[in-house]
Amino acid sequence: MAEESGLRDRVTRDRLLLAVVLLVGIAGTGIVRRQLGLLGYNGLGRLVFILGYGGTVFVVWYGWIRPIDITGPSADRDLTRDDLTRGDADSGEEADRPDTPDR
């Protein structure tokens, strides 16, 4: 039987930090924006929300999305006949292309 992982195993420091950043950055700035609007500072409330939400997007991108290594397939792939006739993009060779007039 598979062992059940407890809540302590699923809630890591990284996930908790992400939840706090999202809560403060989205809900927190929304609440502050609403309160400033009720007090008559609607323009300031909009600015706070835009900066808070934008800052949250930047922090999430910088802390969690940017470090992800998104790469294509490795160079050790099998080449098809079409790949060989077009030329290998990794080697810097240009593909055989029909001559086109200069514009």
Side-chain angles (χ1 to χ4, degrees), residues 15-84:
R15 289 182 182 177
L16 188 60
L17 181 60
L18 178 62
V20 168
V21 165
L22 291 175
L23 183 68
V24 170
I26 296 173
T29 56
I31 292 169
V32 170
R33 189 258 183 268
R34 171 77 173 153
Q35 293 301 319
L36 286 171
L38 291 175
L39 293 173
Y41 300 106
N42 203 25
L44 180 61
R46 287 179 185 165
L47 183 64
V48 166
F49 183 75
I50 290 169
L51 292 177
Y53 196 86
T56 300
V57 169
F58 177 75
V59 167
V60 168
W61 170 79
Y62 190 80
W64 285 273
I65 298 173
R66 185 185 59 86
I68 296 174
D69 184 22
I70 302 173
T71 58
S74 68
D76 298 333
R77 65 178 191 267
D78 295 327
L79 296 177
T80 63
R81 186 175 183 150
D82 291 336
D83 293 330
L84 295 174

